[in-house]
């Protein structure tokens, strides 16, 4: 989240899209309700009418997978209205704090859904070059926003195609409702107003999920809603520590603190830095004249990370052990889908699975179960036996035919261990152990520690082992009984010259005199204050008490509760919103009041020439990007159909699917709309959690929701002769599932491209293990992923339904 949970109460309008927050994130809805009590309006955009919809002022149905069309039409509405009624928008914000005025390469082209030439599923280097600014180092700007090659004019041209008729023909949203959404949310573009967007997996789990989020960013920037109280783009994380695990490099493309993974071409540290560290871009013609380009500190963070990992072994003479790190092949996909594709091709011999259940939760579950059978060994660490640990004895297989050796490590649940969780709002909160874990169960941290100690012992005993020094040189000094406290201190890092905890990432060095396991978390654990994640002060010390609660736990970075908050004030440092200022009252001596500023510099108009720092400090050019040229599939979002679509063409262009989407090949049969005409989409119910491992073995929750079910609208059910409570078969080219039918008005047919589109809602909590058993909805989901992240397209696929009688 750019903002945080409590801040939702400051919004004047809230749009929840791709999320059923009332049921799946009920705490967030506390703050939605507070906002509504003070007059805020709630918009809910979703294919299904849910409990969130029931509380909304406006419910807008849409076909699953059509967010880009929906939001694109809103962007078009703003761009047209902005020219006619500029007084309704924060034009100073748009011109000075975004790249709207930047002049783009004159060679840029867009034709029939494509941003240039595509080769082997990727845009060519020549095409991507044209997406950049005309001058990539000191780009020219046109604050009047009239230059035909300016970002603003290119946006106008691109989104002019997103008229209301076209948008509603694609999304299925009734026009009157859609226009009400546009008018209501876009009213937050006025100075002093704020609108927030709350989204979840309904947004991201598509072959263009990244561009869905990009469309939200463009919308919010045009409305001046980034960096302000009650604004932002707020991802509702699916579990309590998804944010923390991402910060600590759970994903395959990053190191801790969102540093890039080394690639094969990175022969040394300097080569890596030249590739990964963005060069500063200094725009010409804006009032602000300097970009902080905070990523220019890349070397400090990488070297401090290597010092945390390798200690005294990391020196300037050996590049701080940089070449001990594994190097990735950029042509290989290392994500979840890519990994299982490789398993299916016999390229991977062993797999560790920690707190995850791909045999039920992975896309195309039948294919992923088959791929597990190609392994020599599999280690599963979990609190219950699950579908992955028991894949070898699943229904329909002959267990002796599966040669994979499976090891199960009993783990501790969250109440049986101590440590931190980082919530959606980036608040790092310490949790204490309530009870001892049962039997031989151990916390993950202790399991990993024992394994690492054994690995070091084995490598030290075999000097001929490949890459032995990468293991033996590790500064793994926790002893047999590791503690979360010790790890938290290492993550924060040290000033190695004095042996004291580092005070801030601003003090990290690139000469090997500091360490930090994650630069973003540096300042969480200090000599003066100890572990700040343990703080529980319930007083809001902000001058206007806008809900920051800055002494309740700690938030990265540097306890900043709303990021990019220097965009919440004008060039003179005056808050746009006088009632809910984030930072305020700059004084050369006392600096800013309120939140920790995103850079403590003076307001732009008060600063010296050459020191007028622009507010978006993580961007090389210092301003936010309406035009995002570093994405894989284009500088702005464009409408494409899902990999499996009920339409035979894209109603916006001649390019049907995202040309850069990842399309798996292993047991990934494509479902055609003639045989499978209905749109399947997966989601959760309140009573179960994820793949059900923690809930389907609890008798009281099983009693509340005992069986796998699917939802469908009344018209489709009548056509198929299905009644609520009937047993049905939902099928597609990848398999079929059996479930109980729930016939409901929560789904309604949508008119799209002249035809009626029906959705079938499919739960993803069940499997063949545990107390309550049933088919996993992910048997039906495809092995395809987003062009930038490869997150699976769980939310849109084709299927059919029939009675099981």
């Amino acid at each position: 989240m750019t903002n945080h949970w409590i801040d939702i109460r400051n919004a004047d309008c809230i749009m929840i899209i791709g999320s059923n927050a009332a049921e799946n994130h009920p705490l967030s809805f506390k703050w939605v309700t507070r906002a509504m009590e003070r007059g805020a309006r709630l918009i809910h955009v979703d294919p299904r009418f849910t409990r969130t919809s029931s509380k909304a002022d406006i419910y807008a149905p849409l076909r699953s997978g059509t967010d880009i069309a929906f939001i694109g039409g809103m962007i078009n509405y703003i761009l047209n209205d902005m020219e006619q009624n500029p007084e309704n928008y924060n034009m100073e914000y748009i011109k000075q704090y975004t790249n709207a005025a930047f002049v783009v390469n004159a060679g840029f082209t867009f034709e029939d859904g494509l941003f240039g030439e595509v080769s082997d599923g990727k845009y060519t280097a020549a095409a991507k070059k044209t997406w950049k600014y005309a001058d990539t180092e000191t780009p020219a700007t046109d604050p009047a926003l009239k230059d035909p090659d300016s970002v603003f004019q290119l946006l106008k041209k691109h989104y002019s195609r997103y008229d209301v008729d076209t948008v509603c023909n694609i999304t299925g949203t009734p026009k009157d409702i859609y226009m009400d959404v546009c008018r209501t949310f876009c009213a937050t573009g006025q100075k002093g107003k704020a609108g927030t967007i709350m989204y979840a997996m309904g947004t991201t789990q598509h072959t263009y999920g990244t561009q869905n989020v990009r469309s939200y960013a463009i919308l919010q920037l045009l409305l001046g809603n980034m960096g302000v109280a009650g604004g932002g783009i707020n991802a509702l994380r699916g579990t309590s520590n998804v944010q923390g695990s991402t910060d600590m490099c759970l994903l395959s493309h990053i190191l801790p603190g969102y540093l890039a993974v080394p690639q094969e071409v990175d022969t040394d540290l300097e080569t890596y830095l030249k590739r990964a560290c963005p060069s500063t871009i200094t725009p010409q013609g804006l009032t602000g004249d300097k970009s902080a380009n905070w990523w220019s500190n890349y070397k400090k963070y990488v070297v401090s990370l290597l010092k945390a990992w390798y200690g005294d072994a990391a020196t300037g003479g050996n590049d701080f052990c940089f070449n001990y790190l594994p190097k990735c092949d950029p042509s290989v996909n290392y994500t979840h889908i890519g990994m299982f594709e490789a398993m299916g091709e016999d390229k991977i011999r062993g797999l560790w699975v920690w707190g995850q259940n791909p045999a039920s939760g992975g896309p195309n579950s039948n294919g992923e179960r088959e791929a597990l059978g190609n392994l020599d060994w599999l280690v599963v660490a979990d609190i219950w036996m699950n579908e992955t640990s028991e894949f070898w004895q699943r229904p329909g297989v002959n267990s002796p035919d599966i040669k994979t050796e499976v090891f199960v490590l009993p783990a501790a649940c969250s109440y049986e261990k101590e440590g931190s969780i980082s919530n959606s709002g980036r608040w790092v909160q310490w949790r204490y152990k309530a009870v001892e874990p049962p039997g031989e169960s151990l916390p993950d941290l202790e399991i990993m520690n024992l394994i690492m100690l054994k690995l070091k012992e084995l490598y030290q005993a075999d000097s001929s082992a490949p890459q032995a020094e990468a293991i033996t040189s590790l500064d793994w000094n926790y002893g047999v009984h590791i503690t979360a406290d010790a790890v938290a201190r290492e993550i924060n890092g040290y000033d190695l010259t004095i042996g004291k905890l580092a005070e801030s990432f601003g003090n990290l060095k690139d000469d090997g005199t500091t360490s930090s396991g994650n630069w973003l978390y540096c300042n969480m654990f200090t000599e003066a204050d100890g572990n700040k994640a343990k703080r529980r002060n319930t007083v809001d010390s902000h001058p206007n008490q806008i809900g920051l609660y800055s002494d309740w736990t700690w938030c990265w970075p540097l306890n900043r509760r709303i990021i990019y908050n220097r965009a919440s004030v004008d060039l003179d440092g005056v808050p746009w919103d006088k009632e809910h200022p984030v930072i305020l009252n700059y004084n050369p001596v006392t600096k800013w009041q309120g939140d920790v500023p995103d850079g403590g510099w003076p307001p732009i108009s008060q600063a010296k020439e050459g020191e007028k720092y622009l507010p978006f400090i993580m961007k090389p050019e210092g301003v936010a990007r309406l035009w995002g040229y570093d994405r894989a599939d284009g500088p702005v979002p464009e409408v494409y159909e899902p990999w499996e679509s009920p339409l035979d063409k894209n109603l916006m262009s001649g390019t049907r699917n995202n040309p850069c989407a990842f399309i798996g090949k292993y047991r990934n049969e494509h479902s055609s709309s003639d045989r499978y005409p209905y749109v399947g989409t997966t989601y959760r119910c309140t009573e179960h959690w994820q793949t059900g491992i923690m809930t389907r073995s609890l008798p009281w929750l099983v009693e509340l929701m005992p069986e796998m079910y699917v939802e469908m609208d009344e018209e489709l059910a009548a056509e198929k002769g299905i009644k609520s409570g009937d047993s049905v078969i939902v099928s597609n080219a990848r398999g079929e599932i059996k479930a109980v039918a729930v016939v409901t008005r929560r789904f309604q047919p949508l008119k799209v491209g002249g035809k009626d589109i029906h959705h079938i809602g499919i739960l993803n909590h069940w499997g063949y293990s545990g107390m309550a058993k049933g088919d996993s909805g992910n048997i039906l989901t495809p092995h395809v992923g987003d062009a930038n992240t490869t997150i699976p397209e769980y939310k849109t696929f084709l299927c059919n339904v029939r009675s099981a009688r």
Side-chain angles (χ1 to χ4, degrees):
M1 298 172 77
T2 59
N3 295 41
H4 58 91
W5 293 118
I6 299 173
D7 183 65
I8 294 168
R9 78 183 196 192
N10 296 319
D12 296 295
C13 187
I14 300 156
M15 181 161 65
I16 301 176
I17 182 168
S19 163
N20 177 13
E23 293 183 74
N24 291 330
H25 295 88
L27 185 61
S28 74
F29 223 75
K30 170 183 177 179
W31 305 110
V32 171
T33 302
R34 293 281 179 86
M36 296 178 74
E37 288 171 352
R38 52 176 289 274
R41 300 197 72 193
L42 174 62
I43 299 166
H44 188 222
V45 184
D46 200 281
R48 181 174 64 117
F49 188 93
T50 68
R51 288 184 173 95
T52 303
S53 315
S54 73
K55 297 297 183 182
D57 297 289
I58 306 171
Y59 166 63
L62 87 168
R63 175 168 61 102
S64 182
T66 60
D67 297 55
I68 289 174
F70 191 98
I71 301 297
M74 296 178 71
I75 293 170
N76 186 43
Y77 174 92
I78 292 169
L79 293 171
N80 289 327
D81 191 49
M82 191 176 285
E83 287 205 324
Q84 298 174 23
N85 303 291
E87 69 278 3
N88 291 338
Y89 300 90
N90 192 340
M91 299 308 297
E92 182 179 316
Y93 185 110
I94 294 165
K95 293 176 180 180
Q96 299 290 343
Y97 294 169
T98 79
N99 66 355
F102 284 47
V103 177
V104 174
N105 190 312
F108 171 75
T109 61
F110 175 78
E111 185 176 353
D112 204 22
L114 294 176
F115 300 92
E117 183 183 358
V118 177
S119 177
D120 296 327
K122 295 181 180 180
Y123 279 99
T124 64
K128 297 182 80 169
K129 184 177 180 180
T130 68
W131 304 351
K132 296 185 177 183
Y133 306 133
D135 183 332
T136 58
E137 296 180 357
T138 55
T141 65
D142 173 25
L145 307 181
K146 299 298 184 182
D147 190 306
D149 291 324
S150 69
V151 166
F152 186 82
Q153 291 298 327
L154 290 175
L155 287 178
K156 280 200 65 182
K157 182 178 181 181
H158 183 80
Y159 284 108
S160 65
R161 301 150 52 241
Y162 288 65
D163 60 273
V164 175
D165 288 337
T166 300
V167 166
C168 292
N169 194 34
I170 293 170
T171 64
T173 309
K175 290 184 191 178
D176 58 337
I177 295 175
Y178 183 73
M179 288 306 300
D180 199 9
V181 170
C182 291
R183 286 188 292 266
T184 301
F185 194 77
C186 297
T188 66
Q190 296 181 34
K191 292 181 182 180
K193 296 292 184 181
T196 192
I197 294 177
M198 299 164 58
Y199 75 91
M201 297 302 185
T203 290
T204 56
Q205 291 175 343
H206 299 276
T207 44
Y208 33 78
T210 299
Q211 294 287 15
N212 282 345
V213 180
R214 277 281 301 134
S215 72
Y216 302 170
I218 294 171
L219 179 68
Q220 288 292 69
L221 288 169
L222 288 171
L223 295 173
N225 279 332
M226 297 303 294
V228 303
I233 301 172
N234 296 304
L236 312 186
R237 298 300 200 171
T239 63
S240 61
N241 197 38
V242 168
Q243 184 65 57
S245 61
T246 308
D247 299 340
M248 298 298 167
C249 82
L250 175 76
L251 302 176
S252 62
H253 69 294
I254 51 175
L255 300 176
Y258 301 93
L259 301 171
V261 295
Q263 296 182 359
E264 290 177 343
V265 296
D266 300 327
T267 53
D268 55 32
L269 180 58
E270 287 304 318
T271 305
Y272 163 80
L273 290 169
K274 186 175 181 180
R275 179 183 62 81
C277 179
S279 300
T280 298
I281 299 171
T282 305
Q284 307 298 300
L286 301 183
T287 305
D289 60 12
K290 191 172 182 63
S291 168
N293 185 18
W294 204 262
W295 281 120
S296 62
N297 295 294
Y298 221 98
K299 187 174 182 179
K300 298 175 183 178
Y301 305 149
V302 172
V303 171
S304 295
L305 175 64
L306 291 168
K307 288 295 292 185
W309 285 350
Y310 286 102
D312 291 341
T315 68
N318 64 7
D319 241 358
F320 300 102
C321 296
F322 173 77
N323 280 320
Y324 289 167
L325 301 183
K327 309 296 193 297
C328 293
D329 179 348
S331 68
V332 174
N333 189 302
Y334 296 94
T335 67
H336 178 102
I337 291 179
M339 182 171 61
F340 273 90
E341 291 281 317
M343 274 185 248
E345 298 171 8
D346 282 327
K347 293 180 179 179
I348 296 177
R349 301 270 44 90
L351 178 68
W352 294 79
V353 178
W354 295 85
Q356 193 178 0
N357 188 14
S360 179
N364 189 12
S365 292
N366 279 338
E368 295 207 350
R369 294 166 189 172
E370 289 287 332
L372 290 172
N374 290 339
L375 299 170
D376 292 338
W377 54 266
L378 169 67
V379 179
V380 177
D382 215 308
I383 61 175
W384 301 94
M385 297 296 287
N386 61 31
E387 284 74 18
T388 301
S389 60
E390 296 185 320
F391 87 96
W392 54 276
Q393 56 180 1
R394 67 187 186 275
V397 301
N398 182 30
S399 296
D401 292 340
I402 296 175
K403 305 304 181 183
T404 307
E405 187 173 9
V406 180
F407 302 87
V408 178
L409 304 178
C413 80
S414 59
Y415 308 106
E416 298 162 356
K417 56 191 176 185
E418 182 179 20
S420 68
I421 64 103
S422 301
N423 73 9
S424 299
R426 297 168 285 107
W427 292 22
V428 186
Q429 302 181 94
W430 201 260
R431 289 183 172 181
Y432 299 90
K433 182 166 69 173
V435 295
E436 293 295 328
E440 296 182 281
S441 301
L442 290 174
D444 292 23
L445 186 60
E446 293 187 40
I447 295 172
M448 293 178 188
N449 184 52
L450 293 174
I451 291 169
M452 199 64 224
L453 290 173
K454 190 64 178 179
L455 275 174
K456 287 200 73 171
E457 177 186 320
L458 291 171
Y459 272 93
Q460 285 165 349
D462 184 3
S463 59
S464 65
Q467 301 296 324
E469 285 187 329
I471 303 298
T472 59
S473 296
L474 281 168
D475 188 22
W476 201 271
N477 55 6
Y478 308 107
V480 176
H481 300 292
I482 191 171
T483 66
D485 182 87
V487 176
R489 290 170 183 266
E490 181 183 339
I491 289 171
N492 180 88
Y494 290 88
D495 180 339
L496 300 175
T497 64
I498 58 175
K500 300 289 187 180
L501 290 162
E503 286 294 319
S504 160
F505 58 66
N507 297 331
L508 296 179
K509 303 288 191 347
D510 61 11
D511 60 2
T513 59
T514 59
S515 70
S516 177
N518 187 324
W519 71 275
L520 278 174
Y521 282 68
C522 189
N523 182 249
M524 185 189 85
F525 208 135
T526 63
E527 299 289 343
D529 299 314
N531 187 345
K532 297 179 185 179
K534 295 181 178 180
R535 297 188 302 186
R536 295 294 182 269
N537 188 327
T538 58
V539 175
D540 184 3
S541 57
H542 187 280
N544 288 52
Q545 296 188 320
I546 65 171
L548 296 187
Y549 293 96
S550 298
D551 294 318
W552 177 279
T553 193
W554 180 88
C555 170
W556 69 257
L558 295 179
N559 207 32
R560 184 174 300 128
R561 304 291 161 133
I562 297 177
I563 57 177
Y564 297 122
N565 55 35
R566 285 181 65 249
S568 70
V569 298
D570 65 17
L571 297 171
D572 295 321
V574 179
W576 307 115
D577 185 347
K578 307 299 190 295
E579 183 182 355
H580 306 104
V582 185
I583 59 173
L584 68 162
N585 297 338
Y586 177 81
N587 180 287
V589 177
T590 59
K591 306 301 182 183
W592 294 96
Q593 291 182 314
D595 197 7
V596 177
D598 216 341
W601 309 288
I604 288 173
S605 64
Q606 297 180 30
K608 298 176 182 177
E609 293 295 324
E611 297 180 9
K612 297 177 180 292
Y613 281 94
L614 293 158
F616 286 83
I617 65 172
M618 301 308 293
K619 308 311 294 183
E621 58 271 71
V623 298
R625 289 182 178 176
L626 294 163
W627 187 266
Y629 57 75
D630 52 359
R631 298 278 67 84
D633 46 354
V636 288
E638 171 62 0
V639 166
Y640 302 111
E641 285 297 307
W643 188 58
E644 293 182 346
S645 168
L647 306 184
D648 57 7
K649 64 178 182 179
N650 183 348
L651 299 178
M652 185 65 83
S653 78
T655 304
R656 189 166 187 267
N657 303 119
N658 188 330
C660 303
F662 182 89
I663 310 300
K665 298 177 181 178
Y666 181 70
R667 289 180 54 89
N668 192 36
E669 292 82 3
H670 186 270
S671 303
S672 59
S673 59
D674 56 341
R675 295 186 60 192
Y676 305 103
Y678 310 123
V679 176
T681 187
T682 63
Y683 47 83
R684 302 173 178 174
C685 65
T686 303
E687 295 80 6
H688 288 297
W689 183 250
Q690 305 293 69
T691 62
I693 294 308
M694 293 190 288
T695 55
R696 284 190 289 108
S697 293
L698 300 179
W700 48 93
L701 289 177
V702 170
E703 184 178 0
L704 285 170
M705 191 58 68
E707 295 180 273
M708 168 66 178
Y709 67 93
V710 298
E711 294 186 288
M712 67 190 74
D713 66 71
E714 295 173 330
E715 184 178 309
L716 175 60
E719 180 183 321
K720 295 287 186 176
I722 294 169
K723 297 179 180 179
S724 274
D726 286 355
S727 181
V728 296
I729 303 294
V730 183
S731 62
N732 65 16
R734 290 172 295 280
E736 63 179 36
I737 62 171
K738 189 174 183 180
V740 175
V742 174
V743 179
T744 176
R745 294 174 65 189
R746 288 188 289 270
F747 277 118
Q748 294 289 331
L750 298 175
K751 186 70 72 173
V752 175
K755 60 192 290 190
D756 287 335
I757 300 297
H758 300 274
H759 286 82
I760 298 178
I762 299 170
L763 280 294
N764 56 12
H765 303 300
W766 274 267
Y768 44 77
S769 299
M771 178 182 296
K773 297 177 173 62
D775 289 332
S776 168
N778 284 319
I779 288 172
L780 304 175
T781 54
H783 231 226
V784 300
D786 171 71
N788 294 277
T789 67
T790 326
I791 192 171
E793 192 160 58
Y794 288 114
K795 298 306 180 193
T796 313
F797 52 92
L798 292 180
C799 59
N800 208 332
V801 62
R802 67 182 189 274
S803 173
R805 294 194 301 270

